[in-house]
Amino acid sequence: MSYPAPYRAYAQPEFFALEWLAEGVLGVAFNRPPVNAFHVAKWTELHRIFDHIRGDGDVRAVVLYGNGRCFTAGLDLNDPEFHALLDGSDPARIALRVRAFIERFQASLTAIETCERPVIGVAHSHSIGLAVDILSAADVRYAAQDARFSIREAAIGLAADIGTLQRFPKVVASDSAARELAYTARFFDAAEAKDIGFVSRVFDSRDAALQGAVATAKQIAQLSPVAVTGTKQALVYSRDHSVAEGLQFMQYLNSALLQTGDLAAAMAAAMRKTKPQFAKL
């Protein structure tokens, strides 16, 4: 098969482009011109796509990126469904409706984290507001040199509520930087993003960053999918638990996963100096 190739397991996405970028590597691209802004229908579809990927054993790794001018400019503030949330005269009923809405929105991005496949986010140009929420939920983050980030919510009169304030401070190396960027809503470039640990690599262009992400995803896709999904589960769990709790989690996780045939296949291939073959999940 030559790549990129059509991904036919998910029928006709409306606001995304899905295609195989390499064997076992699925590309998920934001595809809503002109700036890939998110409205309710788009983040609802994001949730469905990542739930679907979680159940597709052919997918070993995911590259998440934006088609067109930018990664995403964030929320579509013209979406009438956002404005309809505050309609009504009873504050309690409005509050209940807004809380349920936020919960669904949060779940759509958490689906990236719970997908059990490593997700490599590739930012280019404007990567604003919701972009930081999304990238913070990814496993690995790369950026083109022209990427410009902003935790933008304070600039439009609200506190970020979809995951940035919970994940971003645990992703970056500096609590001070995380707070400064959240409080000021200022823009920061790819070099600063790398300096604080938000992205791990910066490339000259969007295409170069995408190629770098695919190369990394191909490396992941060659490994045991049982080992990779177990590693992701352990890393996500350990982020929010103590060392002792994380070690106990591994006792229970590997008491099951060490029974995989992938372990014997990997060891035999290493001894024979051949490439191991693993069954899909």
Side-chain angles (χ1 to χ4, degrees):
M1 181 187 295
S2 60
Y3 298 99
Y7 179 70
R8 305 189 189 283
Y10 187 96
Q12 297 181 328
E14 189 173 359
F15 304 109
F16 295 81
L18 308 181
E19 60 183 1
W20 292 112
L21 301 178
E23 185 177 356
V25 178
L26 181 64
V28 177
F30 304 147
N31 197 41
R32 187 179 180 233
V35 292
N36 291 323
F38 272 75
H39 58 349
V40 172
K42 184 176 176 181
W43 60 253
T44 300
E45 185 172 55
L46 177 73
H47 196 169
R48 288 199 302 266
I49 287 170
F50 274 93
D51 276 353
H52 170 84
I53 292 169
R54 188 178 185 182
D56 187 344
D58 290 322
V59 179
R60 302 287 185 87
V62 177
V63 177
L64 182 64
Y65 59 102
N67 283 337
R69 286 166 49 183
C70 65
F71 181 69
T72 174
L75 288 178
D76 182 351
L77 298 177
N78 293 316
D79 186 353
E81 291 199 51
F82 290 142
H83 299 285
L85 283 174
L86 300 179
D87 287 348
S89 58
D90 187 321
R93 285 174 171 77
I94 293 172
L96 289 170
R97 186 165 65 240
V98 171
R99 188 210 60 78
F101 179 89
I102 294 172
E103 182 181 36
R104 292 196 305 273
F105 204 163
Q106 290 172 342
S108 71
L109 269 62
T110 297
I112 297 170
E113 190 172 79
T114 58
C115 175
E116 296 183 358
R117 307 294 190 279
V119 178
I120 304 174
V122 180
H124 78 285
S125 188
H126 284 84
S127 303
I128 301 170
L130 187 60
V132 179
D133 292 295
I134 293 167
L135 290 166
S136 295
D139 296 279
V140 178
R141 289 163 295 279
Y142 291 170
Q145 197 169 37
D146 70 348
R148 297 183 74 230
F149 305 93
S150 174
I151 302 172
R152 204 70 192 148
E153 284 80 358
I156 59 171
L158 55 92
D161 55 9
I162 310 300
T164 287
L165 299 183
Q166 291 68 44
R167 294 187 177 100
F168 184 81
K170 295 179 179 179
V171 164
V172 301
S174 169
D175 179 72
S176 175
R179 290 171 184 260
E180 177 203 332
L181 294 168
Y183 294 152
T184 64
R186 71 170 176 82
F187 284 89
F188 57 106
D189 62 16
E192 184 175 0
K194 186 174 187 297
D195 186 55
I196 64 174
F198 184 53
V199 301
S200 53
R201 298 180 66 186
V202 176
F203 296 81
D204 290 341
S205 67
R206 180 258 194 190
D207 289 347
L210 187 55
Q211 289 172 11
V214 172
T216 299
K218 286 169 67 175
Q219 288 182 288
I220 295 168
Q222 292 173 3
L223 303 177
S224 159
V226 172
V228 171
T229 191
T231 299
K232 176 165 181 174
Q233 289 179 57
L235 287 168
V236 172
Y237 182 89
S238 294
R239 181 196 61 196
D240 298 325
H241 294 80
S242 69
V243 171
E245 289 169 325
L247 289 170
Q248 186 176 56
F249 178 81
M250 289 308 303
Q251 295 169 20
Y252 291 106
L253 182 67
N254 266 2
S255 66
L257 298 190
L258 284 176
Q259 299 180 60
T260 178
D262 290 12
L263 182 59
M267 293 177 67
M271 293 176 66
R272 294 193 299 262
K273 295 182 168 50
T274 58
K275 180 181 176 181
Q277 298 296 318
F278 302 108
K280 67 181 183 180
L281 288 175

